[in-house]
Amino acid sequence: SLFRLKDLEVPKLGDCNVHIRMLAAPINPADINMIQGTYPLLSPLPAVGGSEGVGEVLEVGRRVTALRPGDWVIPAAAGLGTWRTQGVYPEEMLLKVPSDIPVLCAATLSVNPCTAFRMLTDFESLAPGDSIIQNAANSGVGQAVIQIARASGIKTINVVRDRPDLPKLVERLMALGADHVVTEEMLRKPEMKDIFKSIPRPRLALNCVGGKSTTEMLRHLQPKGTMVTYGGMAKQPVMVPVSAFIFRDVRLRGFWMTQWRKDHAQDQESVAAMMDALFQLIRGGQLTAPACTEVPLQDYRAALEASMKPFVSSKQILLF
């Protein structure tokens, strides 16, 4: 096992530093990929896992202006190492979040809902009544996409893998605001035409899987539509028929939240606008935390194992 629980000294608090106590931190697929060494971000070892979570400020250095003890904070960038009880960080690595939002919403905010928000905003200018299609619709990003789209009047066609408890999953996604939930097999069926009697073909496809799932999704995209790839869970390349390029002029793009944050490090207005929009949705009950299983830190091994099981519909959240 690559993992062990270790006691470390808390470093001295510098003038621009913030000492925080972690409250909750999720285990995301990217965290697992980092540990396996298959992710483009690699921390020098020994490293602390976890790229997301929420903490409470205990103490601030004398030059710190934007934060004070009692504030809640989340990472402003990847690679913070959130699976720990306490940490000392430079102020610019943290974003303040309102402490009146649910702790699990705050803990799962900086990766998935931000990714969903950006992909719905940055690639196609969608208007109420437009539709999008996405695979891995039950993932953390998928659940956020459904809710953010719903709040903006955008229809969602949500693709999931067939599974034993499919009706339960469909019901859960519909309750979040999904308009249609289909299996990968159904993408090939003539019944798909029925969906497009009531809603337009999607202008945007969000792909987190790759392989056959992606090719099937692309067939339903409008001419000149965009497919954004942000993950590759099938570990298979994206296959595109030549005809999709020539006769339908589809666009293929990619998205990585870590890169977006790097590109906008000096652009605090864009970051603040996104966060405010997400806080509004959370406060209005339109954006909830994904289905979560809360696990005390000492049971981290069980949590890591559970997060790697197939068809997992609940995110493991470490509590400190």
Side-chain angles (χ1 to χ4, degrees):
S1 161
L2 297 163
F3 264 93
R4 52 188 62 102
L5 216 45
K6 273 189 81 138
D7 284 321
L8 303 171
E9 286 287 303
V10 175
K12 223 166 73 63
L13 189 71
D15 285 353
C16 302
N17 286 358
V18 179
H19 180 188
I20 68 172
R21 170 175 82 89
M22 287 305 293
L23 302 172
I27 298 176
N28 288 319
D31 298 323
I32 303 289
N33 294 342
M34 261 190 213
I35 295 156
Q36 293 166 337
T38 58
Y39 202 68
L41 276 188
L42 297 176
S43 310
L45 297 172
V48 178
S51 54
E52 193 177 34
V54 62
E56 182 189 355
V57 175
L58 296 176
E59 202 185 346
V60 301
R62 60 191 180 89
R63 283 233 191 101
V64 172
T65 51
L67 296 171
R68 54 177 60 128
D71 285 347
W72 278 16
V73 289
I74 63 174
L80 207 59
T82 51
W83 301 344
R84 61 171 101 209
T85 55
Q86 295 187 25
V88 171
Y89 304 107
E91 178 183 16
E92 69 269 13
M93 288 183 77
L94 302 168
L95 283 176
K96 183 177 166 175
V97 298
S99 49
D100 65 344
I101 64 175
V103 69
L104 294 180
C105 283
T108 54
L109 188 58
S110 66
V111 177
N112 295 329
C114 290
T115 300
F117 183 90
R118 294 265 54 105
M119 292 195 302
L120 287 170
T121 310
D122 294 351
F123 295 93
E124 288 281 344
S125 44
L126 298 169
D130 283 343
S131 82
I132 67 142
I133 188 168
Q134 64 165 345
N135 55 24
N138 58 318
S139 67
V141 171
Q143 293 176 56
V145 163
I146 290 170
Q147 296 174 83
I148 296 167
R150 175 66 178 274
S152 322
I154 294 160
K155 309 285 182 203
T156 59
I157 302 162
N158 300 280
V159 185
V160 295
R161 286 181 297 175
D162 198 4
R163 63 194 64 215
D165 58 348
L166 185 65
K168 214 161 78 188
L169 176 61
V170 171
E171 194 182 326
R172 206 162 57 96
L173 296 182
M174 296 301 268
L176 288 180
D179 295 283
H180 299 276
V181 182
V182 298
T183 61
E184 297 192 337
E185 291 69 36
M186 279 170 68
L187 283 176
R188 258 171 257 144
K189 302 264 165 70
E191 291 89 299
M192 281 299 287
K193 287 200 179 71
D194 296 341
I195 289 181
F196 299 122
K197 284 176 185 155
S198 58
I199 64 172
R201 284 186 175 268
R203 298 213 339 246
L204 180 67
L206 305 178
N207 167 45
C208 177
V209 179
K212 197 178 268 171
S213 165
T214 313
T215 314
E216 296 298 338
M217 255 197 335
L218 263 180
R219 295 193 357 204
H220 302 294
L221 207 54
Q222 265 190 43
K224 295 199 186 320
T226 305
M227 185 176 77
V228 182
T229 292
Y230 68 99
M233 288 162 71
K235 297 191 167 50
Q236 282 159 0
V238 168
M239 306 284 277
V240 184
V242 170
S243 59
F245 281 125
I246 300 174
F247 304 120
R248 299 200 357 264
D249 191 16
V250 298
R251 273 178 286 223
L252 298 194
R253 300 285 308 273
F255 183 77
W256 188 30
M257 193 65 215
T258 300
Q259 189 62 45
W260 188 91
R261 289 198 188 281
K262 276 189 194 136
D263 295 346
H264 294 79
Q266 302 314 312
D267 175 10
Q268 283 315 300
E269 270 172 52
S270 295
V271 177
M274 167 173 70
M275 298 316 291
D276 286 341
L278 293 173
F279 298 149
Q280 292 298 99
L281 291 172
I282 292 169
R283 286 203 180 105
Q286 293 168 293
L287 179 61
T288 56
C292 289
T293 305
E294 301 175 42
V295 183
L297 178 62
Q298 57 269 27
D299 299 340
Y300 71 93
R301 283 219 163 93
L304 280 169
E305 269 166 37
S307 70
M308 293 195 265
K309 287 206 174 83
F311 299 123
V312 63
S313 283
S314 184
K315 199 173 268 299
Q316 304 289 312
I317 308 266
L318 300 171
L319 297 184
F320 303 98

